[in-house]
Amino acid sequence: MIMRIFQVVARPGKEEEFADFFHNTAIPLMKGTDGIVQVLPGAARAESPREFSFVMVWRDIDALKAFVGEDYDRPHIDPSEAELVESRAIRHYDLVGD
């Protein structure tokens, strides 16, 4: 399985708008995506009010590519969130079982 960590920093002054998008659009979208085994959304905290993240566990690399395409190493965003986002980062790891 593939662990995908997606981190977003909202633009200053856009925290509430991004939080609304995060909770009402992004989380339901990711939870309903075929090939995702688990979604762990991380909302902003008081000490980092513009930072949000997702830890997603994908069934395999093919499922991930089916969702985002061959360039899965680039962070993909919904066009409706583009004006709300200052920066984004993405990392992938092989999930280690216990």
Side-chain angles (χ1 to χ4, degrees):
M1 285 189 273
I2 305 295
M3 182 172 59
R4 177 178 172 98
I5 301 175
F6 182 51
Q7 297 173 303
V8 174
V9 177
R11 291 185 191 278
K14 298 290 187 177
E15 299 89 348
E16 286 186 34
E17 281 182 79
F18 186 82
D20 180 64
F21 172 83
F22 185 75
H23 289 283
N24 297 311
T25 302
I27 292 172
L29 171 69
M30 297 316 299
K31 286 187 173 184
T33 298
D34 184 46
I36 288 187
V37 176
Q38 187 173 17
V39 176
L40 300 168
R45 294 179 45 89
E47 65 270 15
S48 54
R50 297 190 304 133
E51 297 178 15
F52 297 80
S53 69
F54 275 110
V55 175
M56 296 163 272
V57 177
W58 288 82
R59 179 179 58 236
D60 54 36
I61 197 70
D62 292 330
L64 175 57
K65 287 179 179 180
F67 181 69
V68 297
E70 288 295 320
D71 60 344
Y72 68 91
D73 282 331
R74 290 186 41 236
H76 290 75
I77 61 165
D78 186 284
S80 64
E81 74 178 293
E83 66 182 34
L84 307 175
V85 174
E86 179 177 278
S87 66
R88 58 194 72 79
I90 193 104
R91 300 287 184 269
H92 296 96
Y93 303 90
D94 288 328
L95 186 66
V96 177
D98 35 34

